[in-house]
Short mmCIF file of all heavy atoms in Angstrom, two decimals:
data_model
loop_
_atom_site.label_atom_id
_atom_site.label_comp_id
_atom_site.label_asym_id
_atom_site.label_seq_id
_atom_site.Cartn_x
_atom_site.Cartn_y
_atom_site.Cartn_z
N PRO B 103 -15.52 -19.04 -8.80
CA PRO B 103 -15.89 -18.08 -7.76
C PRO B 103 -17.21 -17.36 -8.04
O PRO B 103 -17.66 -17.30 -9.19
CB PRO B 103 -14.73 -17.08 -7.81
CG PRO B 103 -14.24 -17.15 -9.23
CD PRO B 103 -14.45 -18.56 -9.68
N TYR B 115 -13.70 -15.54 -1.90
CA TYR B 115 -14.08 -14.30 -2.58
C TYR B 115 -15.59 -14.15 -2.61
O TYR B 115 -16.31 -15.08 -3.01
CB TYR B 115 -13.52 -14.28 -4.01
CG TYR B 115 -12.02 -14.49 -4.05
CD1 TYR B 115 -11.42 -15.26 -5.03
CD2 TYR B 115 -11.20 -13.93 -3.05
CE1 TYR B 115 -10.04 -15.46 -5.06
CE2 TYR B 115 -9.83 -14.12 -3.06
CZ TYR B 115 -9.25 -14.90 -4.06
OH TYR B 115 -7.90 -15.10 -4.07
N PHE B 196 0.88 -13.10 -6.77
CA PHE B 196 0.23 -13.64 -7.96
C PHE B 196 -0.67 -12.58 -8.59
O PHE B 196 -1.45 -11.93 -7.92
CB PHE B 196 -0.58 -14.90 -7.61
CG PHE B 196 0.24 -16.15 -7.67
CD1 PHE B 196 1.63 -16.10 -7.52
CD2 PHE B 196 -0.35 -17.39 -7.87
CE1 PHE B 196 2.40 -17.25 -7.58
CE2 PHE B 196 0.41 -18.56 -7.93
CZ PHE B 196 1.78 -18.49 -7.79
N THR B 197 -0.52 -12.47 -9.89
CA THR B 197 -1.23 -11.42 -10.62
C THR B 197 -1.81 -11.99 -11.90
O THR B 197 -1.17 -12.81 -12.56
CB THR B 197 -0.26 -10.28 -10.98
OG1 THR B 197 0.32 -9.77 -9.79
CG2 THR B 197 -0.97 -9.16 -11.72
N THR B 198 -3.02 -11.56 -12.22
CA THR B 198 -3.61 -11.90 -13.50
C THR B 198 -4.03 -10.61 -14.18
O THR B 198 -4.69 -9.77 -13.57
CB THR B 198 -4.85 -12.80 -13.32
OG1 THR B 198 -4.46 -13.94 -12.54
CG2 THR B 198 -5.39 -13.27 -14.66
N ALA B 200 -6.14 -9.68 -17.50
CA ALA B 200 -6.99 -10.34 -18.49
C ALA B 200 -7.55 -9.32 -19.46
O ALA B 200 -7.89 -8.20 -19.08
CB ALA B 200 -8.14 -11.06 -17.79
N LEU B 207 -9.67 -14.35 -25.45
CA LEU B 207 -9.21 -13.95 -24.12
C LEU B 207 -7.69 -14.07 -24.06
O LEU B 207 -7.13 -15.12 -24.38
CB LEU B 207 -9.86 -14.86 -23.07
CG LEU B 207 -9.35 -14.74 -21.63
CD1 LEU B 207 -9.61 -13.35 -21.07
CD2 LEU B 207 -10.03 -15.80 -20.76
N VAL B 209 -4.55 -13.67 -21.33
CA VAL B 209 -4.32 -13.60 -19.89
C VAL B 209 -2.82 -13.65 -19.61
O VAL B 209 -2.13 -14.55 -20.08
CB VAL B 209 -5.05 -14.77 -19.19
CG1 VAL B 209 -4.52 -14.94 -17.78
CG2 VAL B 209 -6.55 -14.53 -19.16
N HIS B 210 -2.35 -12.66 -18.87
CA HIS B 210 -0.97 -12.69 -18.35
C HIS B 210 -1.09 -13.18 -16.92
O HIS B 210 -1.82 -12.57 -16.13
CB HIS B 210 -0.35 -11.29 -18.37
CG HIS B 210 -0.45 -10.62 -19.71
ND1 HIS B 210 0.58 -10.60 -20.59
CD2 HIS B 210 -1.49 -9.96 -20.30
CE1 HIS B 210 0.21 -9.94 -21.68
NE2 HIS B 210 -1.05 -9.55 -21.53
N ASP B 211 -0.39 -14.24 -16.58
CA ASP B 211 -0.72 -14.87 -15.31
C ASP B 211 0.53 -15.40 -14.61
O ASP B 211 1.49 -15.83 -15.25
CB ASP B 211 -1.68 -16.04 -15.59
CG ASP B 211 -2.27 -16.62 -14.31
OD1 ASP B 211 -2.50 -15.85 -13.37
OD2 ASP B 211 -2.48 -17.85 -14.28
N SER B 212 0.49 -15.39 -13.28
CA SER B 212 1.55 -16.01 -12.49
C SER B 212 1.24 -17.50 -12.40
O SER B 212 0.60 -17.96 -11.46
CB SER B 212 1.57 -15.44 -11.07
OG SER B 212 1.59 -14.04 -11.09
N THR B 213 1.64 -18.21 -13.40
CA THR B 213 1.32 -19.64 -13.42
C THR B 213 2.57 -20.45 -13.70
O THR B 213 3.50 -19.96 -14.34
CB THR B 213 0.25 -19.95 -14.49
OG1 THR B 213 0.00 -21.36 -14.50
CG2 THR B 213 0.69 -19.52 -15.88
N THR B 219 -3.82 -23.17 -17.28
CA THR B 219 -4.61 -21.94 -17.15
C THR B 219 -5.50 -21.79 -18.38
O THR B 219 -6.67 -21.41 -18.28
CB THR B 219 -3.69 -20.73 -17.00
OG1 THR B 219 -2.83 -20.96 -15.89
CG2 THR B 219 -4.47 -19.45 -16.75
N LEU B 223 -9.57 -21.82 -18.09
CA LEU B 223 -10.39 -20.65 -18.45
C LEU B 223 -11.33 -20.96 -19.60
O LEU B 223 -12.48 -20.49 -19.62
CB LEU B 223 -9.47 -19.46 -18.79
CG LEU B 223 -8.77 -18.84 -17.59
CD1 LEU B 223 -7.74 -17.81 -18.05
CD2 LEU B 223 -9.77 -18.21 -16.63
N PHE B 227 -15.41 -20.40 -19.12
CA PHE B 227 -16.22 -19.49 -19.94
C PHE B 227 -16.88 -20.18 -21.13
O PHE B 227 -17.56 -19.53 -21.93
CB PHE B 227 -15.37 -18.31 -20.42
CG PHE B 227 -14.92 -17.42 -19.28
CD1 PHE B 227 -13.63 -17.48 -18.80
CD2 PHE B 227 -15.83 -16.56 -18.68
CE1 PHE B 227 -13.24 -16.67 -17.74
CE2 PHE B 227 -15.44 -15.75 -17.62
CZ PHE B 227 -14.14 -15.81 -17.15
N ARG B 250 -2.18 -24.69 -10.07
CA ARG B 250 -3.62 -24.69 -10.34
C ARG B 250 -4.03 -23.31 -10.86
O ARG B 250 -3.35 -22.33 -10.64
CB ARG B 250 -4.40 -25.00 -9.06
CG ARG B 250 -4.01 -26.31 -8.41
CD ARG B 250 -4.87 -26.62 -7.19
NE ARG B 250 -6.18 -27.15 -7.56
CZ ARG B 250 -7.22 -27.19 -6.72
NH1 ARG B 250 -7.11 -26.70 -5.49
NH2 ARG B 250 -8.37 -27.71 -7.11
N SER B 251 -5.17 -23.28 -11.50
CA SER B 251 -5.72 -22.00 -11.96
C SER B 251 -6.72 -21.55 -10.90
O SER B 251 -7.87 -21.99 -10.87
CB SER B 251 -6.39 -22.18 -13.31
OG SER B 251 -6.86 -20.94 -13.78
N TRP B 252 -6.27 -20.69 -10.00
CA TRP B 252 -7.03 -20.36 -8.80
C TRP B 252 -8.20 -19.42 -9.10
O TRP B 252 -8.21 -18.78 -10.15
CB TRP B 252 -6.09 -19.73 -7.76
CG TRP B 252 -5.04 -20.67 -7.29
CD1 TRP B 252 -3.73 -20.68 -7.65
CD2 TRP B 252 -5.23 -21.79 -6.42
NE1 TRP B 252 -3.07 -21.72 -7.04
CE2 TRP B 252 -3.96 -22.42 -6.28
CE3 TRP B 252 -6.32 -22.33 -5.74
CZ2 TRP B 252 -3.78 -23.55 -5.49
CZ3 TRP B 252 -6.13 -23.45 -4.95
CH2 TRP B 252 -4.88 -24.05 -4.83
N PRO B 253 -9.13 -19.31 -8.18
CA PRO B 253 -10.32 -18.49 -8.46
C PRO B 253 -10.02 -17.05 -8.88
O PRO B 253 -10.75 -16.47 -9.68
CB PRO B 253 -11.07 -18.52 -7.11
CG PRO B 253 -10.69 -19.82 -6.49
CD PRO B 253 -9.26 -20.04 -6.91
N HIS B 254 -8.92 -16.46 -8.37
CA HIS B 254 -8.68 -15.06 -8.75
C HIS B 254 -8.40 -14.91 -10.24
O HIS B 254 -8.65 -13.85 -10.81
CB HIS B 254 -7.53 -14.47 -7.92
CG HIS B 254 -6.18 -15.01 -8.30
ND1 HIS B 254 -5.61 -16.12 -7.69
CD2 HIS B 254 -5.28 -14.62 -9.23
CE1 HIS B 254 -4.44 -16.35 -8.24
NE2 HIS B 254 -4.20 -15.46 -9.18
N VAL B 255 -7.88 -15.96 -10.87
CA VAL B 255 -7.61 -15.91 -12.31
C VAL B 255 -8.93 -15.76 -13.05
O VAL B 255 -9.09 -14.93 -13.95
CB VAL B 255 -6.85 -17.18 -12.76
CG1 VAL B 255 -6.58 -17.14 -14.25
CG2 VAL B 255 -5.55 -17.36 -11.96
N THR B 256 -9.90 -16.56 -12.61
CA THR B 256 -11.24 -16.49 -13.20
C THR B 256 -11.89 -15.14 -12.91
O THR B 256 -12.52 -14.54 -13.78
CB THR B 256 -12.11 -17.63 -12.62
OG1 THR B 256 -11.48 -18.87 -12.96
CG2 THR B 256 -13.51 -17.60 -13.17
N VAL B 257 -11.72 -14.65 -11.67
CA VAL B 257 -12.32 -13.36 -11.30
C VAL B 257 -11.80 -12.26 -12.22
O VAL B 257 -12.57 -11.43 -12.72
CB VAL B 257 -12.01 -13.01 -9.82
CG1 VAL B 257 -12.37 -11.56 -9.52
CG2 VAL B 257 -12.76 -13.95 -8.88
N ALA B 258 -10.50 -12.26 -12.48
CA ALA B 258 -9.92 -11.21 -13.32
C ALA B 258 -10.51 -11.28 -14.73
O ALA B 258 -10.89 -10.25 -15.31
CB ALA B 258 -8.40 -11.36 -13.38
N ALA B 259 -10.61 -12.49 -15.28
CA ALA B 259 -11.14 -12.63 -16.63
C ALA B 259 -12.61 -12.25 -16.68
O ALA B 259 -13.09 -11.61 -17.62
CB ALA B 259 -10.92 -14.06 -17.12
N MET B 260 -13.35 -12.64 -15.63
CA MET B 260 -14.77 -12.31 -15.56
C MET B 260 -14.95 -10.79 -15.48
O MET B 260 -15.78 -10.20 -16.18
CB MET B 260 -15.37 -12.97 -14.31
CG MET B 260 -16.82 -12.64 -14.07
SD MET B 260 -17.18 -12.72 -12.30
CE MET B 260 -17.34 -14.45 -12.08
N LEU B 271 -5.55 -7.91 -11.70
CA LEU B 271 -5.85 -8.29 -10.31
C LEU B 271 -4.57 -8.83 -9.70
O LEU B 271 -4.07 -9.88 -10.11
CB LEU B 271 -6.96 -9.34 -10.27
CG LEU B 271 -7.28 -9.94 -8.90
CD1 LEU B 271 -7.60 -8.87 -7.87
CD2 LEU B 271 -8.46 -10.91 -9.01
N LEU B 273 -2.88 -10.12 -6.23
CA LEU B 273 -3.23 -10.55 -4.89
C LEU B 273 -2.33 -9.84 -3.87
O LEU B 273 -1.16 -9.59 -4.13
CB LEU B 273 -3.07 -12.06 -4.73
CG LEU B 273 -4.00 -12.94 -5.57
CD1 LEU B 273 -3.86 -14.40 -5.14
CD2 LEU B 273 -5.45 -12.50 -5.46
#
Side-chain angles (χ1 to χ4, degrees):
Chain B
Y115 305 141
F196 272 24
T197 301
T198 306
L207 171 63
V209 164
H210 308 261
D211 189 35
S212 309
T213 178
T219 305
L223 288 172
F227 294 103
R250 304 184 79 197
S251 183
W252 296 104
H254 71 269
V255 180
T256 300
V257 168
M260 177 209 280
L271 174 54
L273 295 189

